[in-house]
């Protein structure tokens, strides 16, 4: 857990799956140099996989599909997920464009669970948006190309990634759904399944609460700034709600990135999850070859694969 | 995610495993009243399982095996795990009894990963303790009675609980090891496997970093006060280390509970993990019947089962 120095390398590490993908990444890294010998099988670290990636391995965030939450502490950036929750996402965009969230607070921080923001009184006018939107807990699996993980999952028969989001599926039911991993954003609701819609939003700040899967509409993911939300003082009330209104942390605003002047935007790009490079990245996280590791896990959980995000290089003139 | 009201109950929930255990808990709850009809199968919530528990379902923390970390923000309580790391635990007890940690800081907070404390310079005398202790990453499986979970785990062929700690095992190798769930405490090390020993300790504050299993010595678990550690401002240096020494958060002290005057101790008890009540609790967390839930997961991950802790009632005179 400290700096890596004076290592010895164990010979006990082993590899399951993903080696072919690692080779692909190796080849890509070497594409501009001499051809790699067919016997090269040196496994890469995740950092090496990313260093060897090409611009095509990354995608820019769509400004029409990106939210900036402005806190006193800084900007939190959320990528929305209309592929999972089109109507809830549309409603959140309408709420945001009506400045609904401006001045509303973070009012709940439950340790190892969620941070939540919205209107504590539930009465603020929603303008052109809807107060509630029907649940979008699942969607049809048909037509989706999921980058599937090889390892078993405790909760679902299929897990993987779709468009940068962790996803699970049940082929027997023909259904797919976004998964409650760290940083995922959902629409709080009351007991009625259709009582959500985005007027209250929460983000996962702890161990993946997978029991919420298929019970709440997930509609996005924090791609930058999680460290501003995850440190919110935990509320001492039931479910982590702040007992005293003075404890609440106000949001300055939430804006659609496309509505923010270009000079004030944060240009980010996200690693695509439908490429050999992504598979190599997953494999590198499952089979750590950094000197510090002595027994690479050889396996990986869908919620232990954070999607790399980086500043987007300015396009070349 | 908000208060539970105006519910309708879905009929889609289902149960896998643990029903017998739930019945056991039901019977216990009804033991003082009329005999329960054989057909009673009402599933319980986790809260109901705990409410129906008996004193024998709980165990008091052993003061000789409990640490109090005193921060300006309050007390963090750690239960040590000599069953997994006897020599590392003994060394931490020696360090603590030599007041080694007093005044040393929390110096690392990496988002969704770990908070770490110790000597940033690595030079403070260790007194009667050892500076390093050989690794205790695993232990023999033989003789252990693990409360096994029924669901698959992404990383290990067997997962469950032993003496209140999450554990994994490989029966083919005959090995068992503690698992990096939220709140688990380990001994940081450099690249040499035997370079740990407890002079630097870390606690998991995010998604279970299971790739650390069998790579670091786990020696305890935070049983109270995690919310004081999990909110540490994240360090902006590499691996979450604080770049500026002024950012570090000093520990007032760490003490063995047994060395603290009785009046200053925190009397806690922890749910035993080798009882039908514990199995019922696990089942209730896997199969949520609270009105809010519409599709109980029917499954559970070893790191999504926090062990209940409560104030210990004063013994009856």
């Amino acid at each position: 857990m400290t700096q890596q120095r004076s290592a010895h390398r164990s010979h006990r590490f082993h590899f399951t799956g993903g080696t072919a993908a690692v080779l692909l990444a190796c080849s890509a890294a070497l594409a501009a140099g001499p051809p790699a010998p067919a016997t090269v099988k040196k496994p890469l670290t995740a950092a090496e996989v990313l260093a060897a990636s090409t611009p095509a391995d990354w995608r820019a965030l769509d400004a029409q599909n990106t939210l900036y939450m402005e806190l006193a502490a800084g900007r939190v950036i959320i990528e929305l997920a209309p592929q999972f929750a089109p109507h809830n996402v549309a409603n959140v965009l309408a709420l945001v464009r009506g400045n609904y969230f401006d001045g509303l607070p973070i009012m709940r921080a439950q340790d190892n669970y969620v941070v939540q923001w919205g209107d504590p009184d539930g009465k603020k006018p929603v303008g052109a948006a809807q107060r509630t939107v029907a649940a979008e807990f699942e969607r049809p699996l048909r037509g989706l190309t999921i980058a599937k993980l090889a390892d078993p999952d405790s909760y679902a028969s299929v897990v993987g990634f779709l468009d940068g989001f962790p996803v699970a599926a049940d082929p027997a039911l023909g259904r797919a759904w976004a998964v409650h991993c760290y940083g995922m954003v959902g629409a709080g609701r009351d007991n009625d399944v259709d009582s959500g819609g985005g007027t209250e939003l929460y983000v996962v700040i702890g161990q993946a609460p997978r029991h919420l899967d298929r019970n709440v509409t997930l509609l996005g993911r924090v791609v930058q700034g999680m460290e501003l939300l995850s440190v919110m003082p935990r509320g001492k009330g039931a479910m982590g709600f702040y007992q005293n209104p003075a404890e609440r942390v106000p949001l300055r605003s939430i804006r659609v990135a496309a509505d923010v002047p270009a000079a004030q935007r944060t240009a980010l790009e996200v690693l695509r999850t439908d490429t050999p490079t992504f598979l190599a990245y997953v494999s590198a996280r499952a089979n750590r070859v950094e000197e510090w590791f002595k027994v690479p896990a050889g396996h990986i959980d869908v919620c232990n694969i954070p999607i790399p995000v980086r500043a987007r290089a300015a396009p070349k003139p």
Side-chain angles (χ1 to χ4, degrees), chain A:
Chain A
M1 305 305 294
T2 54
Q3 281 81 1
Q4 298 178 16
R5 57 177 189 261
S6 66
H8 86 266
R9 178 75 64 87
S10 162
H11 296 285
R12 285 189 290 164
F13 57 71
H14 58 285
F15 302 92
T16 64
T19 306
V22 171
L23 282 174
L24 277 171
C26 252
S27 303
L30 294 168
T39 54
V40 167
K41 291 191 178 180
K42 180 180 179 294
L44 300 181
T45 67
E48 289 168 339
V49 169
L50 297 181
S53 68
T54 70
D57 289 320
W58 300 79
R59 62 184 172 84
L61 288 182
D62 175 0
Q64 295 287 353
N65 200 36
T66 302
L67 302 181
Y68 295 157
M69 173 195 290
E70 307 290 355
L71 303 172
R75 175 176 282 180
V76 176
I77 303 179
I78 298 169
E79 181 178 24
L80 296 170
Q83 59 275 65
F84 292 104
H87 299 103
N88 280 266
V89 164
N91 200 52
V92 167
L93 287 168
L95 288 165
V96 167
R97 288 197 154 116
N99 296 345
Y100 173 79
F101 289 102
D102 301 10
L104 289 181
I106 293 169
M107 57 195 172
R108 177 188 185 195
Q110 185 170 359
D111 197 54
N112 192 23
Y113 203 45
V114 298
V115 159
Q116 185 168 329
W117 58 93
D119 180 8
D121 304 316
K123 294 178 180 170
K124 185 168 180 176
V126 297
Q130 305 298 315
R131 188 160 291 282
T132 62
V133 175
E136 293 171 303
F137 298 165
E138 309 172 355
R139 57 155 292 166
L141 173 59
R142 181 193 300 263
L144 299 185
T145 303
I146 296 173
K148 295 179 190 173
L149 299 186
D151 291 308
D153 178 75
S154 298
Y155 293 85
S157 56
V158 170
V159 290
F161 287 85
L162 179 75
D163 301 337
F165 288 87
V167 60
D170 184 336
L173 293 177
R175 306 295 287 173
W177 55 91
V179 166
H180 276 84
C181 296
Y182 191 85
M184 290 291 286
V185 175
R189 66 165 172 85
D190 293 333
N191 280 355
D192 185 328
V193 290
D194 295 329
S195 60
T199 57
E200 285 192 26
L201 296 171
Y202 65 91
V203 61
V204 173
I205 61 161
Q207 176 69 22
R210 297 284 304 277
H211 52 283
L212 298 179
D213 292 355
R214 308 169 74 195
N215 282 285
V216 201
T217 299
L218 286 171
L219 51 72
R221 184 173 70 85
V222 172
V223 294
Q224 186 168 294
M226 264 306 293
E227 72 281 5
L228 305 180
L229 295 172
S230 59
V231 300
M232 289 290 151
R234 306 323 190 208
K236 291 184 173 62
M239 301 169 66
F241 281 92
Y242 294 127
Q243 290 178 308
N244 183 338
E247 297 175 281
R248 296 172 182 158
V249 177
L251 312 180
R252 289 182 174 171
S253 66
I254 300 184
R255 292 286 179 273
V256 181
D259 299 347
V260 170
Q264 296 169 26
R265 293 186 202 166
T266 305
L268 294 180
E269 56 187 13
V270 176
L271 191 70
R272 287 176 55 179
T273 55
D274 59 350
T275 63
T277 294
F278 179 69
L279 295 179
Y281 169 74
V282 170
S283 177
R285 282 190 66 87
N287 302 287
R288 311 276 178 133
V289 295
E290 293 89 344
E291 288 191 296
W292 188 88
F293 285 92
K294 307 308 169 188
V295 185
H299 305 282
I300 193 88
D301 179 90
V302 66
C303 287
N304 201 359
I305 306 172
I307 305 299
V309 178
R310 67 182 187 186
R312 186 182 178 199
K316 296 200 174 141

